[in-house]
Amino acid sequence: MKNISALISLFVIFSISCSSKSENISTQEHLEEINQWHENQMASLRSETGWLNLIGLYWLEEGLNSFGSGIDMNLKLESDIFPDEIGTFELKDGKVFFTPNIDGVTSKAGEVNGKTLIFDQDQGISEALSFQSLNWVIIKRADAYGLRLRDFEAQAIKKFEGVDRYPVDISWRIIAEFVPNNPPKEIMITNVIGQTTPNLSPGSIKFVYDGSTYKIDALGNEEDEELFLIFADATSGRETYGGGRYMYVKKADATGKIILDFNKAYNPPCVYTPHATCPLPPRQNILDLAITAGHKNFGDH
């Protein structure tokens, strides 16, 4: 019994020390951490999977959908440097097939010849295809199927010089409290094209700033290591994007505490491209507080 008590005591001391260590950080360490995070964000935007190269989002109709730069294409590519008809997508019973009309369309397995299944959610098939600098993949949003098109040589990448942000301020690094939902509840989230879907919320994050208490409902599944936050505040539509900002935070420690660092608030992809389906903050996550930390708006949004 004494040994068990000793082990429990050691565990408690270890947990407290770990919690304290994660909560305490110098101003210089914090500045370096946020600057590195920001540079990673900028690199991600410029990467092949980033948002700057996204040049099109087309919603497929059931049946055949022609694709290319030709004037009579169902899915018209707004560029005259690519062929009139690259190929045809066929949506049938939740499956998407692609048939090339030209040589040079490739997948990770090599050149695509003839009708090929490229998307079937039930079978876990989601095949990216490429032609010259173009790359595309099928996405599903609610009951709609879309063609997400990228151009790895897009002008937006070449012109991108970064995103403005507020000065790094350690006062916006807040030790918050996680308030669990037992059991987790579903929150309805609407995106910018009007689709509304249920999202699992394991709980809310409660924090105090300047003497007032605020709460943000968090999204995430049990297996996730981080929680996803969608929020708007008094800067939204002024210095920051009107559709809110996003954040990821690590799940609560053993004491139920969460480090909520608004210096890591970043823009939704809709800020960088009109071809994204960004979720918007639910009403309860619109805060009566000016969060002057993190990324500011970009472009003319």
Side-chain angles (χ1 to χ4, degrees):
M1 184 67 69
K2 289 182 179 180
N3 288 339
I4 294 175
S5 298
L7 285 172
I8 293 174
S9 298
L10 285 171
F11 176 76
V12 172
I13 293 169
F14 177 77
S15 298
I16 293 172
S17 66
C18 286
S19 175
S20 300
K21 183 177 180 181
S22 65
E23 292 177 9
N24 295 328
I25 187 171
S26 71
T27 302
Q28 183 60 34
E29 288 172 329
H30 180 250
L31 176 62
E32 292 172 0
E33 177 188 321
I34 299 303
N35 284 343
Q36 184 60 60
W37 169 85
H38 176 72
E39 289 305 314
N40 291 342
Q41 287 280 314
M42 297 303 97
S44 177
L45 286 170
R46 293 184 178 98
S47 72
E48 288 191 352
T49 56
W51 297 107
L52 292 171
N53 62 30
L54 192 61
I55 64 166
L57 177 61
Y58 309 86
W59 298 103
L60 303 181
E61 300 288 344
E62 191 75 19
L64 299 178
N65 301 259
S66 56
F67 168 57
S69 64
I71 193 169
D72 57 346
M73 293 294 100
N74 301 123
L75 313 177
K76 188 179 184 312
L77 177 59
E78 299 297 334
S79 173
D80 57 6
I81 66 172
F82 296 108
D84 286 350
E85 185 170 3
I86 295 173
T88 302
F89 295 89
E90 181 181 1
L91 173 59
K92 183 177 181 181
D93 300 327
K95 297 179 177 65
V96 179
F97 301 85
F98 181 75
T99 304
N101 193 53
I102 54 174
D103 295 332
V105 176
T106 60
S107 69
K108 62 182 179 182
E111 184 150 359
V112 176
N113 296 301
K115 183 176 177 180
T116 303
L117 177 64
I118 62 170
F119 185 88
D120 184 349
Q121 190 173 57
D122 292 339
Q123 297 185 52
I125 296 173
S126 181
E127 190 76 40
L129 300 183
S130 298
F131 174 75
Q132 296 179 1
S133 63
L134 297 178
N135 179 273
W136 61 86
V137 68
I138 301 300
I139 63 171
K140 185 180 180 184
R141 295 293 182 267
D143 295 326
Y145 296 82
L147 167 64
R148 173 172 281 169
L149 180 67
R150 300 179 185 273
D151 182 355
F152 294 151
E153 297 180 4
Q155 287 298 310
I157 304 172
K158 299 174 182 178
K159 295 178 180 178
F160 184 66
E161 296 181 352
V163 178
D164 288 339
R165 53 178 173 151
Y166 291 99
V168 177
D169 184 351
I170 200 169
S171 71
W172 284 109
R173 184 182 188 270
I174 300 166
I175 307 304
E177 176 187 356
F178 180 69
V179 182
N181 293 327
N182 291 316
K185 66 179 181 180
E186 286 189 338
I187 294 177
M188 302 306 292
I189 300 291
T190 301
N191 65 24
V192 292
I193 61 174
Q195 297 170 326
T196 301
T197 55
N199 289 254
L200 198 64
S201 174
S204 60
I205 298 175
K206 185 170 69 174
F207 67 97
V208 177
Y209 187 83
D210 200 20
S212 296
T213 301
Y214 303 91
K215 187 178 75 168
I216 300 176
D217 279 342
L219 304 178
N221 298 314
E222 184 178 351
E223 64 273 14
D224 295 336
E225 294 182 359
E226 296 180 307
L227 299 173
F228 182 49
L229 311 183
I230 308 173
F231 70 92
D233 64 277
T235 71
S236 301
R238 296 180 175 88
E239 293 181 309
T240 64
Y241 178 52
R245 288 180 289 172
Y246 297 166
M247 275 180 63
Y248 279 97
V249 297
K250 290 189 179 298
K251 285 187 172 179
D253 63 16
T255 68
K257 302 299 182 184
I258 279 180
I259 296 176
L260 184 63
D261 195 337
F262 285 108
N263 292 280
K264 294 182 179 180
Y266 67 94
N267 289 318
C270 293
V271 170
Y272 306 105
T273 175
H275 308 298
T277 56
C278 303
L280 299 168
R283 185 178 299 275
Q284 66 271 25
N285 284 3
I286 301 176
L287 307 178
D288 184 21
L289 171 68
I291 299 176
T292 53
H295 286 172
K296 294 184 178 182
N297 205 348
F298 176 83
D300 300 323
H301 299 88

